[in-house]
Amino acid sequence: PKSYVFADPASRKLLALTERVAGAEVAVLLNGSTGTGKEVLAKVIHEASSRHSGPFIAFNCAALPESLAEGMLFGHEKGSFTGASSSKPGLFEQAQNGTIFLDEIGEMPMQLQVKLLRILQERKVTPVGGQRDIEVNVRVLATSNRDMAHEVNQSRFREDLYYRLNVFPLQTRNLSSRKDDILPISIKILAKHIQEGKSVPFITSEARELLLNHNWPGNVRELR
């Protein structure tokens, strides 16, 4: 994909694998540290799949309290809670015929994990306060920066849901272990901040040395 940087041999190998996975209708769990490009890979999977013309809907599982997250993901019926003056479709319904990207799935509360498992098994979603089932045709991609097998062992994540999501695991690498990506990503980041028609500033040899020798614990987010 032209909009992403895969310059390092390790990154190109991961890209090739990701594009192969895109062609299969399976759930994918992307594991890796924060800022290593998990959402980039999720977008590659969507764009290289047969669902590319459908929506790509992203949701951060750690961003909202459980009560709000439930309504946002699964939708709600009119009158299902105070202030629910009308019915609203959830993100799963909005992602119909496309991809839903669940970021930091390890943060999802147990009650919502049960509902997500049902969607994966039955391809149906029930809005909050509703009796009707809505059929959904959605591919689920999830990410975590945790050791999810350990989370399962500690009873913080459902084992059955883990196996449903981890049909094909992909592991992202820290920026420090793919040095050939650092300068191309730096140039891309610089280009985003340049006014149209103006040239991208030249990165001096001293700056290049500093960029390449830093260990980037915060990965691409730190680089940015």
Side-chain angles (χ1 to χ4, degrees):
K2 294 176 183 176
S3 55
Y4 311 126
V5 173
F6 295 92
D8 193 274
S11 297
R12 290 203 296 272
K13 188 175 178 181
L14 181 59
L15 173 62
L17 183 59
T18 301
E19 289 179 326
R20 282 176 62 195
V21 173
E25 274 289 314
V26 295
V28 178
L29 182 62
L30 298 135
N31 202 265
S33 303
T34 300
T36 53
K38 295 188 293 293
E39 185 166 0
V40 166
L41 285 183
K43 286 178 177 174
V44 168
I45 291 172
H46 174 71
E47 290 166 13
S49 77
S50 59
R51 296 178 177 270
H52 61 87
S53 57
F56 178 89
I57 304 282
F59 179 76
N60 187 324
C61 297
L64 293 173
E66 182 176 341
S67 56
L68 290 176
E70 185 176 19
M72 195 161 180
L73 280 170
F74 311 122
H76 62 76
E77 298 287 18
K78 181 180 179 180
S80 58
F81 56 85
T82 306
S85 55
S86 61
S87 298
K88 187 176 180 183
L91 295 181
F92 272 91
E93 204 176 336
Q94 292 174 43
Q96 197 73 274
N97 300 316
T99 303
I100 191 160
F101 171 67
L102 300 175
D103 199 13
E104 299 309 339
I105 193 76
E107 304 281 344
M108 181 175 274
M110 198 62 79
Q111 185 186 338
L112 299 192
Q113 290 180 32
V114 175
K115 284 202 161 192
L116 176 58
L117 180 64
R118 180 177 177 254
I119 292 171
L120 289 169
Q121 288 175 334
E122 300 178 19
R123 298 287 175 180
K124 291 176 182 176
V125 62
T126 308
V128 177
Q131 302 300 319
R132 65 197 175 101
D133 285 338
I134 299 164
E135 290 197 13
V136 288
N137 177 10
V138 173
R139 184 180 191 172
V140 176
L141 306 178
T143 79
S144 181
N145 57 15
R146 299 180 180 184
D147 179 342
M148 291 304 293
H150 178 71
E151 295 297 299
V152 169
N153 288 336
Q154 296 298 309
S155 300
R156 289 191 288 261
F157 199 82
R158 289 184 64 99
E159 185 175 25
D160 45 9
L161 178 57
Y162 171 66
Y163 288 123
R164 277 276 176 176
L165 292 170
N166 200 40
V167 175
F168 204 104
L170 287 173
Q171 181 76 36
T172 56
R173 297 167 65 102
N174 290 347
L175 189 58
S176 59
S177 71
R178 44 188 175 99
K179 296 276 190 183
D180 287 351
D181 282 344
I182 293 173
L183 293 179
I185 291 174
S186 301
I187 292 165
K188 186 173 174 57
I189 290 168
L190 278 173
K192 276 188 177 178
H193 296 281
I194 303 303
Q195 289 180 353
E196 198 173 335
K198 295 199 173 181
S199 58
V200 179
F202 177 73
I203 303 176
T204 65
S205 56
E206 292 89 347
R208 285 170 183 250
E209 198 171 330
L210 284 168
L211 288 167
L212 292 170
N213 289 332
H214 186 60
N215 67 345
W216 302 112
N219 296 299
V220 178
R221 289 187 187 179
E222 182 186 356
L223 176 59
R224 193 172 288 126

